[in-house]
Structure formats: C-alpha cells, structure tokens
Amino acid sequence: MKYMLLFMSPTTEWDAPVDGCDFEDWIRYDREMKDAGIWVSGYPLQDLTTCTTVQVGPAGDRTITDGPFAETREVLGGYDIIDVPDLDAALEWAARSPGALGGGSVQVRPVAEIEVEV
C-alpha cells in the first residue's frame, strides 16, 4: 500500500537548524528507503516565501496571493511516497525520519489509488 509522508517543520526559517538532524541525516534516510525498495517518489520543497496560493470563487473569479493561505506554526517542507505492506510499516518509517525530530512531525496519509478508464 502506498503512503505519503508529509514532513512538517516547526519553523519558517529555511536555514534554521532543527535539533537532532542535519542535511546528512536526510540523505541517509532517503538512501535507507531506496535501499529497502519502498521509496516511490518524493521531493523537498523550496522556502515558504516562494509559495503562491490560488483560490477560485463560485463565479470563477481567481484570487492569487503570495505565501500560504493558512496561518500556521508548521511548514510543509517536503514529502515522500513509500510503498509498504501496511500502516504499521509506514509509521515505522515516519518515526525514523529526521523530520520527526526537534519539534517537527510527519503526517502519514494513505494514497487513494483510483483507477480511471480513459
């Protein structure tokens, strides 16, 4: 089953260090997932200041704003999609993530695999 791991950082400071992990920890974590054969895809995201939010109203009018729409103390820093046997395995990989350290968190979401006939 496929799961998306969403890495949430407790800070909006792009270069701010997170207690307990550094860039090399992320490289090691990615390598471990690839070596285990569970990694499907994933990317880190650029700094929050590069975000643009689009909303479309009922009449089709668009509102475009700089930055995220929601005011939150957490920032989505990136994601991985993994293919593991079950939720317990996905939770184990989430707990191993450097993103779960230093006040960060990892959201684990099952991927809805919907087949559409064309």
Side-chain angles (χ1 to χ4, degrees):
M1 182 160 189
K2 290 186 178 90
Y3 290 89
M4 178 177 271
L5 307 181
L6 298 155
F7 305 113
M8 307 300 291
S9 172
T11 181
T12 59
E13 299 291 327
W14 182 251
D15 293 328
V18 175
D19 292 338
C21 74
D22 59 23
F23 186 70
E24 293 300 317
D25 293 321
W26 282 103
I27 291 173
R28 186 173 24 263
Y29 178 67
D30 287 346
R31 188 177 315 119
E32 288 172 1
M33 286 192 296
K34 289 174 183 173
D35 289 349
I38 65 160
W39 188 83
V40 176
S41 68
Y43 290 95
L45 300 175
Q46 289 189 15
D47 183 80
L48 184 63
T49 61
T50 65
C51 179
T52 303
T53 299
V54 177
Q55 290 182 300
V56 179
D61 52 314
R62 293 188 290 175
T63 302
I64 300 173
T65 55
D66 291 336
F69 179 72
E71 292 291 329
T72 179
R73 291 180 183 246
E74 290 184 314
V75 176
L76 177 61
Y79 73 93
D80 281 319
I81 296 177
I82 58 174
D83 192 351
V84 293
D86 54 33
L87 177 59
D88 288 336
L91 295 174
E92 179 62 32
W93 280 99
R96 294 171 63 174
S97 166
L101 301 172
S105 63
V106 180
Q107 295 180 13
V108 178
R109 305 270 307 266
V111 173
E113 296 191 62
I114 301 169
E115 293 186 31
V116 178
E117 292 185 34
V118 182

